[in-house]
Amino acid sequence: MLDYDFSTIQGLLEQHPEASLWLSIGLLLLVAWLSNYIVKKVLIRGIFRALRASAYGQHQVIQHSAFVARLANIVPALIISKGIALIEGVSETVSTIVVNVCNAFVVLTIALAIANILTLVNRVYEERPEAKTKPIKGYVQVIKILVYTVAIILMIAALIDRSPLILLSGLGAMAAVLMLIFQDTILSLVASVQISSNDVIRVGDWVEMPQLNADGDVIDIALHTVKIQNFDKTITTIPTRRFMTDAFKNWRGMQQSGGRRIKRSLMLDQQSVHFLDSDERKRLNRFSLLQDYLAEKQQEIESWNSELAEQGKEPVNTRRITNIGTFRAYVQRYLASHPGVHQKMTLMARQLEPGSNGLPLEVYCFTNTTAWLAYEGIQSDIFDHLLAILPEFGLRVYQHPSGMDIRAIKLSQAND
């Protein structure tokens, strides 16, 4: 009975060759689909089970990687490529086209799998401590470009059914064109090598490049671009080569030193500068930070003035203590005793060149922290205190007259 049914079906197929052709093609596609399903459900699951049993397989990146699934797509392509030649009624031209397309698909699948593996390698490497100082993302992207370039050549060769050597032989004449097309890639590759070898920037560095409106932390270093997240949470994308051709500031040295510089001036009214009389010296002697200074300075001045003999009787010929010098000594000692100031780095209070905006008294020191919020708090505390203590020395802060000052002058003149 079965033989009779089979003979009947065979006879019908022989009478209808087109139906036989399409049935064969359908069976071939069904076998290809089943092979793909079996490989993905059985083989891939077995591979991942084996990976999970190993130390590397516990990594989340590996568990979510798709390179094995991509390679599984090669199986149905190979089945179609080999099976199309076994189907009767398929012309040689169609068979050749199908085989060439399948071969090209296999090359593309392998290239995508290799690219996926390279991405996997980069992601695993980025979790290592040395990844911040020696990123490999740029090199991975270069390898991907080479893989895709080779894949395109092999795919074209497969589609036209020619040897890839024929295509490669023509690349020599196209070298100039390729150099022009990949100019940015070549420059970026050179810049990436220099950045990595010279340790110019790292992921996490605070970088400042005013000409490109970039001021923030480096969050990604790729082959062509470097991404910087500014402090306003915007992201600036800068070509990698610009870090080798343009000037920029990297604050990494400050962060590694453990101290951040304070360099700010108090603008003093020059008309408030004067010599201290005995009452002012007694009043300032109450400051514990000034007791040693005033005693030593007074002894030094008396020793100097004693050598003037008769000329020393005139005050204009003698040395005297000034309120601004005493204040500068107070600032120096105040910084030296401040718990937020780094005592092993440069610390000084100095006068700068006077100008139309007053006499600058600059505070130059380093905080013992590089955290931005803590740094600003220490700096503000220092100048809050100095501004509040300034009148004790008979000094005034200089500022341009405001509308209230002019109004007070006019009221005073009207009352007079």
Side-chain angles (χ1 to χ4, degrees):
M1 184 67 180
L2 292 176
D3 293 339
Y4 173 77
D5 292 339
F6 180 77
S7 301
T8 303
I9 295 173
Q10 186 177 8
L12 291 175
L13 292 177
E14 290 177 355
Q15 293 176 5
H16 302 280
E18 293 183 359
S20 176
L21 174 62
W22 288 109
L23 180 60
S24 301
I25 294 175
L27 290 174
L28 178 62
L29 295 176
L30 178 62
V31 171
W33 178 81
L34 287 175
S35 64
N36 187 35
Y37 178 82
I38 293 172
V39 169
K40 286 186 176 180
K41 292 297 182 180
V42 178
L43 181 60
I44 294 179
R45 285 184 179 180
I47 292 176
F48 275 108
R49 285 179 181 176
L51 284 174
R52 292 190 187 99
S54 64
Y56 294 100
Q58 301 299 324
H59 204 287
Q60 292 294 327
V61 177
I62 295 178
Q63 292 183 6
H64 292 86
S65 179
F67 72 93
V68 179
R70 291 189 182 277
L71 290 175
N73 294 327
I74 297 177
V75 176
L78 293 177
I79 291 176
I80 294 174
S81 175
K82 300 299 182 181
I84 193 68
L86 302 177
I87 299 177
E88 296 181 359
V90 177
S91 64
E92 184 178 352
T93 302
V94 174
S95 178
T96 302
I97 293 174
V98 172
V99 171
N100 292 344
V101 171
C102 289
N103 292 337
F105 178 79
V106 170
V107 172
L108 176 62
T109 302
I110 294 175
L112 293 175
I114 294 174
N116 193 268
I117 292 173
L118 292 173
T119 302
L120 171 64
V121 170
N122 181 60
R123 289 181 180 177
V124 174
Y125 179 79
E126 284 179 346
E127 298 184 4
R128 298 174 63 88
E130 61 269 23
K132 291 185 177 180
T133 58
K134 299 292 183 182
I136 63 171
K137 187 173 183 179
Y139 305 116
V140 168
Q141 290 179 332
V142 172
I143 297 174
K144 284 184 179 180
I145 292 175
L146 295 176
V147 170
Y148 287 138
T149 302
V150 174
I152 290 173
I153 294 174
L154 294 178
M155 288 172 63
I156 295 175
L159 290 173
I160 64 176
D161 198 15
R162 293 290 186 273
S163 172
L165 297 177
I166 298 176
L167 298 177
L168 291 174
S169 62
L171 292 179
M174 298 177 61
V177 178
L178 292 175
M179 290 287 289
L180 181 62
I181 295 175
F182 293 102
Q183 179 182 4
D184 292 339
T185 300
I186 295 173
L187 293 175
S188 299
L189 175 61
V190 174
S192 297
V193 173
Q194 292 177 331
I195 287 174
S196 178
S197 59
N198 297 324
D199 198 16
V200 178
I201 55 174
R202 305 175 186 171
V203 174
D205 283 355
W206 172 12
V207 172
E208 185 177 351
M209 191 177 283
Q211 64 271 28
L212 297 179
N213 296 322
D215 185 11
D217 298 328
V218 177
I219 60 175
D220 184 60
I221 302 176
L223 175 61
H224 294 93
T225 59
V226 174
K227 290 183 179 179
I228 297 176
Q229 185 175 48
N230 301 308
F231 294 123
D232 59 359
K233 299 306 178 183
T234 59
I235 295 179
T236 301
T237 302
I238 301 174
T240 307
R241 64 179 183 276
R242 295 294 293 270
F243 284 90
M244 302 307 301
T245 59
D246 294 10
F248 70 96
K249 182 185 291 185
N250 191 335
W251 291 82
R252 188 202 311 160
M254 177 272 294
Q255 294 171 332
Q256 293 178 343
S257 68
R260 185 172 176 183
R261 185 180 68 175
I262 296 176
K263 187 175 182 289
R264 183 186 291 183
S265 298
L266 283 172
M267 306 305 294
L268 304 178
D269 189 347
Q270 299 175 69
Q271 295 181 357
S272 64
V273 177
H274 61 270
F275 294 109
L276 294 178
D277 55 30
S278 57
D279 292 336
E280 289 176 319
R281 289 199 301 271
K282 290 180 181 179
R283 189 177 72 254
L284 292 177
N285 200 46
R286 297 180 293 114
F287 291 82
S288 59
L289 295 177
L290 290 176
Q291 291 177 354
D292 294 341
Y293 168 78
L294 291 173
E296 294 174 1
K297 201 68 175 178
Q298 187 65 31
Q299 183 179 0
E300 176 188 342
I301 290 176
E302 289 177 355
S303 175
W304 171 276
N305 292 337
S306 64
E307 298 179 359
L308 297 178
E310 292 297 325
Q311 295 179 350
K313 296 180 180 180
E314 290 292 333
V316 294
N317 295 327
T318 60
R319 290 177 57 189
R320 286 173 285 177
I321 301 177
T322 63
N323 62 342
I324 189 170
T326 305
F327 179 66
R328 181 166 49 84
Y330 174 81
V331 175
Q332 184 81 22
R333 285 161 173 76
Y334 174 74
L335 296 175
S337 62
H338 197 287
V341 175
H342 204 301
Q343 303 301 320
K344 294 184 179 181
M345 293 186 176
T346 306
L347 186 156
M348 63 178 172
R350 60 175 182 170
Q351 289 185 29
L352 300 181
E353 183 179 359
S356 59
N357 291 325
L359 175 63
L361 182 71
E362 185 182 77
V363 173
Y364 192 103
C365 63
F366 292 80
T367 61
N368 56 12
T369 179
T370 61
W372 190 7
L373 187 61
Y375 162 79
E376 294 293 349
I378 295 172
Q379 182 174 230
S380 298
D381 288 342
I382 290 174
F383 280 89
D384 289 347
H385 177 80
L386 296 181
L387 287 170
I389 204 72
L390 198 60
E392 293 286 344
F393 296 84
L395 293 168
R396 297 187 301 271
V397 177
Y398 180 86
Q399 63 184 25
H400 293 287
S402 64
M404 293 297 296
D405 296 328
I406 297 175
R407 183 180 301 176
I409 293 174
K410 288 183 178 181
L411 290 175
S412 177
Q413 291 176 349
N415 293 334
D416 292 341

